[in-house]
Amino acid sequence: MDKKIKKATVFFYEPVYVKGFGSVVGKKEKESWLGDWFDIAFDEDLWGEKSWEKCERKMVLKAVEVALAKAGINENETDYLIGGDLLNQIISASYSARELGIPFFGIYGACSTMAESMMLGAMLIDGGFAKNIACATSSHFATAERQFRNPLELGTPKTPTAQWTVVGAGASILSKQGEKFYPKITYATTGRVLDFGIKDANNMGAAMAPAAAETIMIHLEETGRDISYYDKVVTGDLGKLGAGILFDLLNEEGIKACDNYFDCGIEIYKENDNMNCGGSGCGCGGSVLNGYFIKNMIEGVFKRILFVATGALHSPTSTGQGESIPAIAHAVAIETE
Amino acid sequence: MDKKIKKATVFFYEPVYVKGFGSVVGKKEKESWLGDWFDIAFDEDLWGEKSWEKCERKMVLKAVEVALAKAGINENETDYLIGGDLLNQIISASYSARELGIPFFGIYGACSTMAESMMLGAMLIDGGFAKNIACATSSHFATAERQFRNPLELGTPKTPTAQWTVVGAGASILSKQGEKFYPKITYATTGRVLDFGIKDANNMGAAMAPAAAETIMIHLEETGRDISYYDKVVTGDLGKLGAGILFDLLNEEGIKACDNYFDCGIEIYKENDNMNCGGSGCGCGGSVLNGYFIKNMIEGVFKRILFVATGALHSPTSTGQGESIPAIAHAVAIETE
C-alpha cells in the first residue's frame, strides 16, 4: 500500500467543541442494544409523511433541531450548515437546508459524509470563519434501496455480502465555545479516493476497507500515535466482511486493532441474524456517533475516539458501465480533556 | 425579501491566489465568441471515450492538469481536491479524484459548485490548513440530459424557458503563494437555500434568480460595496429569463446592475439562436470563469469581479413527487491589486 502521499492530517489549535448532537432512527435500529442512546425513534417507515424521501428529510430536520437545542443555540446563531446524504442531488440535506435557512454547503461523501462535514466544519471554525456550525447526514433503507438497487416491491433477495441501509440521521453542532466536558475535535485526516477493483455493488465492505486501512495508517503515522491511544477506533459501516479485511490489512502493517475496534454497521444490527453483513449508510455512523459515542464521551466512559467514516463513491450508472467502486475514508479524532 | 439573516460574508486576511486555471469545452462552446479563451476544446461528444460519463471525467482531469501546470505544481503538492458535478453520486469528480490521488472533499451544489469549491478552498487556505487546493467542476449536455430529463434518443423538444447544459469543465488552483498579478479571492458570501415555488424543471432560471438576488444584496450590504465597485458581476447560468428576473428583483431594491452584468449561460450561446434561454450546468460558469475571466484579469482588462454561481437543488425524484425547486447562490469576490 502506497503511504507516500503528502501530509493529509491537520491539527486544530483552537478548540472545536462538539456542543450539540442529535440522532434519529427507525424501529429496527431502536431495537438494537444501542437503541436507548438515540434521541428520537419512530415506529413506521414513513413517520407520517407521504414518501420515504420526505420521511428522511424530517429525520435530518429533527436531528438538527435536537442538536441545536442541546447546544443551546438557534438557527440564526448557526453560521453554516454542512450536510449531505446518499440520495441523488442530496435532496435530504438540500430540502432540510431550505427549512433551516442557514447558509449551506452541500457535500457528497456517501457514507463518509458525517466525518467529511465535521472535518470541514472544524477547519472553518479553527480558521475563524464561524462560531457555530451544524453538520448533518442521513440515510433511509427504503430511499436508498430503490435508488441504488431495486424497487422494494420486487422483493429482491440480499446476497451474503450485502448490508442494510440504516434508517438514521445524525447531527453535530460544532462550536468555538464550550464547557470542558464537551468532546473536542483535535485532528482530521482527509482520505484520498482508492479503488481495489471491486465491481459488486452488494459488496461495499470490501470496496471500502482498503480506504479505511490507508486513512488509519496515515493518521497514526502523521500524529505519531499508536492505535491503542484511542479508547475506540470507530468505523462507520464496513460490516462483517469489510471489518475482517480491515483487520487483515492493518495486521499486515503490524497494527493490531482488536479490543478497541467498533464498527457501527456491525453493532447496530448485532442481535438480528437477518441483516447479512450488517448496517450501512451515512445515517449509520452519523446516528451512532451522535447517539452512543458523544453521550458516552460526555459521561466519561470514552475519552478518545477515532471516527473513521468510509464511503463508496459509485453510482448505478458507473456500475452499469462496468466501473469498479472507488472508496474514501476520512478520520476525525474526538477527545475529552 | 428577508435580509435579516446573520452575517454570511467572510473576508480573507491572508492572500488566496488563483494561481492556476484550466478550462475544457466541447464543439458548440468552442464556436462561441468566448471560444478562444478556453484551453482545450474537443470536436465530438465522446472525446474518444466509451461513454459520455467517461468523457466528462476526462474533461475534469484535463482541466485540473492544465490548471496544475499553469500553477507550476503537481498533484503531490496539492493538499486537497474540492470538486463536484451534476451527476448522481458526483461520479465525474469522484472518479477523477481516484486518478489524481489528492485528498478529496466531494461537494454538491449543482451549478453553484465552482463557487462553493472556491469559497471552501479559500477558507482552508486562509485558515492555514493548506498551501494549494484544486477546485474543479464539470457538466456535459448528454450526461445531464439523460439523467435529469429524457434519453437523448427520444428527441424531446425543449420548452422556451429551457436551457442547454454546457459541455465544459473548469478548474482553479488556489494558493497561499503567488505573484502580484494573480487574481485573489477577497470575500465569500455563502448562500442559503431559497424556494420560490417553481415546479417546472425546465425553468431553472426562474428558480435560481431569487437566490442570486439575495446573495448579491447580502454581499453588497455586508461588504459596504456598491454594485458598480465590480467591473463585472458574473452569474453562472441564469439564462435570459433568469437574468431578467434578477434585474427586476435587484431594481426593486434600488440596485442597478446593467452595464457590468454578465451571465455565462447567456454569453456562451449568444450567437446560436437555437439554445432557448442559454447555457447551464456547473461547467458553464466553471469554464467561463477559468477561461475568459481569470485570463482577462491577469491581462488587466478586469480588476474586480463578483462571481455568483447559482444552483437548482432538485432531483428528478423530488420533482416527480411534486416538490418545488429549491435554489442556492454563492458569491466569490475575485480581485487584482
Side-chain angles (χ1 to χ4, degrees), chain A residues 29-37 262 266-271 292:
Chain A
E29 293 72 21
K30 176 71 184 170
E31 288 166 356
S32 141
W33 71 270
L34 293 162
D36 289 345
W37 293 97
F262 186 107
I266 294 176
E267 299 295 332
I268 203 163
Y269 294 140
K270 201 170 196 172
E271 305 95 331
Y292 179 69

Side-chain angles (χ1 to χ4, degrees), chain A residues 154-177:
Chain A
L154 274 181
T156 320
K158 287 268 189 188
T159 63
T161 58
Q163 292 171 250
W164 292 71
T165 307
V166 162
V167 177
S172 304
I173 308 300
L174 306 188
S175 189
K176 209 178 163 70
Q177 287 166 324

